[in-house]
Amino acid sequence: MTSANAMRLKLLLKDDRLLQQQLSQCDSADQVIEIAAKLQLDLCMPDLLRMEALMTLTLNDDQLEEWYSTPYWKRVLISLGAMPERFS
């Protein structure tokens, strides 16, 4: 089950270009978790992993091929919505 806070972060990112840009520049889970904490959202690495795993359920075969050739950390950011231009 995905944490409610991970989903809240995803919803915030949907309409907040500045937050999308800030998260898209993150290089680690710790940085994303830090930003979430500033927004009073309690996230942990398993939450981020679940979001990435759930994203794979929405992709077709061609998208999955590209998905798995994308660096892992970028997949986490994409699944959160920090890089909405990818896989939409």
Side-chain angles (χ1 to χ4, degrees):
M1 174 182 225
T2 303
S3 86
N5 285 330
M7 292 305 292
R8 284 186 189 108
L9 179 58
K10 188 169 181 153
L11 288 172
L12 287 172
L13 282 164
K14 189 172 188 165
D15 296 321
D16 191 332
R17 295 271 185 225
L18 185 59
L19 185 56
Q20 287 174 9
Q21 182 180 20
Q22 188 177 9
L23 279 179
S24 70
Q25 296 173 359
C26 291
D27 293 322
S28 70
D30 291 336
Q31 290 176 334
V32 172
I33 292 167
E34 257 181 51
I35 291 170
K38 290 177 185 176
L39 298 169
Q40 298 179 349
L41 300 173
D42 185 27
L43 283 183
C44 59
M45 189 60 189
D47 296 329
L48 299 178
L49 294 172
R50 281 188 214 95
M51 292 298 293
E52 190 270 341
L54 285 172
M55 179 73 179
T56 62
L57 299 174
T58 67
L59 303 175
N60 64 36
D61 290 342
D62 293 333
Q63 290 172 319
L64 276 174
E65 189 173 322
E66 184 181 349
W67 182 255
Y68 287 116
S69 65
T70 301
Y72 178 74
W73 184 242
K74 294 293 181 191
R75 294 191 322 242
V76 170
L77 293 175
I78 292 165
S79 66
L80 283 172
M83 302 173 85
E85 67 281 356
R86 302 282 309 267
F87 299 96
S88 19

